[in-house]
Amino acid sequence: MRFIEEVVVDEFLPTVRSMLAEDLRERGFTQLEVADALGISQSAVSKYAAGDVARHDRIVADERVLDLVERVGEGLASGDLTPVGALVEIEVLIRQLEEGDLLADLHEEAMPALADADVEFSVHDPDSGLRERERVLTSVRRGLRTLTNASGFAGLIPNVGANVAECLADAATVDDVAAVPGRLVDVKGRAMVPGEPEFGVSEHVATVLLAAREGGAAVRGAVNLRYDPETVAALGESHPTVEFDAERPTREAVADAVSAADLPADADGVVVYQTGAVGVEPIVYVLAPTAAGAARIVRGLL
């Protein structure tokens, strides 16, 4: 008797860890850094590097595994993907391959009687909320890196600070929006990030993002900037711009303004802004399908 979990432990994980270790080493990681990233010992990394761990040829050749190794390796190397995020990505692929796919086939080869048995391997949902949350956090990190590495971005930060945010697909409240706790601020010409992205930590930018979605904008990511007519004009050359009334409650004002704008169906982003009111700083919000996408639009200004 052999369980499919044994196929995962004995065949899949050693193969994928070996491939990831090789990928990270090629990206310049030391053995210690590889060990830390993968949560394994340095001696295990040494065995992988020396080819002392057998790889399963069918797993190595699978395009989805190759894509996973490339995606996770790049994410770990850039810092866009945490070890937890990498674990989630690997776990999800395992569940997919168990569902009547590669791992199920290998299991049936190990247990031929299963091929004729009426058995279903229904396990974890590949489209789990955990996976989506990790992907949103990864997108916010990528957007942050795009902006903080861009010369001149600090000059676009408003007095109240900037943020980079992205929401879940079915977001309803600020708790469904990931952003930087606190806000990005200009410190001697550099944008300083106070902490790692989290969900539920940016009420203001999250409110604007959610309101724009209510108004019909197909967006999930946002970056807010210092208001300047020239900035709005530059952004308006490639994206619809929508002004809202700063004297009204933000969520209502943004939703109504976006709804009335009748945005093009193919718009890959929208710019909403307000020109200020008593005690309210004028601000521009760049909205896009992802946080990383919004950051790229902003970078185009620099």
Side-chain angles (χ1 to χ4, degrees), residues 69-173:
V69 170
E70 171 69 19
R71 189 171 68 252
V72 170
E74 180 180 354
L76 289 173
S78 67
D80 290 338
L81 194 65
T82 65
V84 171
L87 175 63
V88 170
E89 291 293 323
I90 296 169
E91 283 279 4
V92 167
L93 182 59
I94 289 172
R95 306 312 164 197
Q96 291 175 332
L97 297 182
E98 285 179 336
E99 294 270 1
D101 208 308
L102 176 62
L103 292 177
D105 292 343
L106 297 179
H107 190 207
E108 289 183 357
E109 291 175 9
M111 293 285 296
L114 283 174
D116 299 322
D118 184 16
V119 178
E120 294 183 0
F121 298 98
S122 296
V123 289
H124 299 79
D125 179 6
D127 297 319
S128 69
L130 176 59
R131 185 188 194 194
E132 185 187 6
R133 291 174 74 87
E134 286 294 333
R135 285 186 166 176
V136 166
L137 290 169
T138 295
S139 179
V140 174
R141 293 188 195 99
R142 187 173 292 119
L144 285 168
R145 188 160 56 90
T146 294
L147 295 177
T148 55
N149 288 342
S151 175
F153 170 66
L156 296 177
I157 296 177
N159 292 330
V160 296
N163 215 323
V164 179
E166 183 169 326
C167 68
L168 301 173
D170 59 352
T173 71

Side-chain angles (χ1 to χ4, degrees), residues 17-251:
R17 280 176 174 152
S18 175
M19 295 170 70
L20 275 172
E22 181 180 42
D23 180 273
L24 293 174
R25 288 288 281 161
E26 290 176 351
R27 295 177 189 273
F29 275 47
T30 65
Q31 283 196 5
L32 177 58
E33 289 171 335
V34 173
D36 288 343
L38 301 185
I40 57 179
S41 66
Q42 286 194 64
S43 61
V45 176
S46 179
K47 289 181 180 178
Y48 290 142
D52 293 338
V53 176
R55 297 182 180 185
H56 195 290
D57 291 341
R58 287 179 60 185
I59 296 173
V60 171
D62 191 282
E63 290 294 334
R64 293 159 299 182
V65 174
L66 293 170
D67 176 70
L68 173 79
V69 170
E70 171 69 19
R71 189 171 68 252
V72 170
E74 180 180 354
L76 289 173
S78 67
D80 290 338
L81 194 65
T82 65
V84 171
L87 175 63
V88 170
E89 291 293 323
I90 296 169
E91 283 279 4
V92 167
L93 182 59
I94 289 172
R95 306 312 164 197
Q96 291 175 332
L97 297 182
E98 285 179 336
E99 294 270 1
D101 208 308
L102 176 62
L103 292 177
D105 292 343
L106 297 179
H107 190 207
E108 289 183 357
E109 291 175 9
M111 293 285 296
L114 283 174
D116 299 322
D118 184 16
V119 178
E120 294 183 0
F121 298 98
S122 296
V123 289
H124 299 79
D125 179 6
D127 297 319
S128 69
L130 176 59
R131 185 188 194 194
E132 185 187 6
R133 291 174 74 87
E134 286 294 333
R135 285 186 166 176
V136 166
L137 290 169
T138 295
S139 179
V140 174
R141 293 188 195 99
R142 187 173 292 119
L144 285 168
R145 188 160 56 90
T146 294
L147 295 177
T148 55
N149 288 342
S151 175
F153 170 66
L156 296 177
I157 296 177
N159 292 330
V160 296
N163 215 323
V164 179
E166 183 169 326
C167 68
L168 301 173
D170 59 352
T173 71
V174 296
D175 289 334
D176 300 321
V177 182
V180 176
R183 296 179 184 179
L184 282 70
V185 295
D186 177 0
V187 178
K188 296 182 179 180
R190 290 182 59 86
M192 301 301 294
V193 182
E196 279 289 297
E198 301 176 25
F199 279 88
V201 294
S202 177
E203 182 173 357
H204 186 70
V205 175
T207 297
V208 172
L209 175 59
L210 293 172
R213 287 165 56 82
E214 288 177 13
V219 294
R220 289 177 58 181
V223 177
N224 67 311
L225 308 173
R226 180 189 301 274
Y227 171 78
D228 184 278
E230 293 183 1
T231 298
V232 174
L235 291 168
E237 293 179 1
S238 53
H239 298 87
T241 60
V242 179
E243 182 178 0
F244 67 95
D245 187 352
E247 295 185 349
R248 292 180 58 197
T250 299
R251 192 150 185 168

Side-chain angles (χ1 to χ4, degrees), residues 256-267:
D256 288 349
V258 170
S259 178
D262 192 22
L263 299 175
D266 60 348

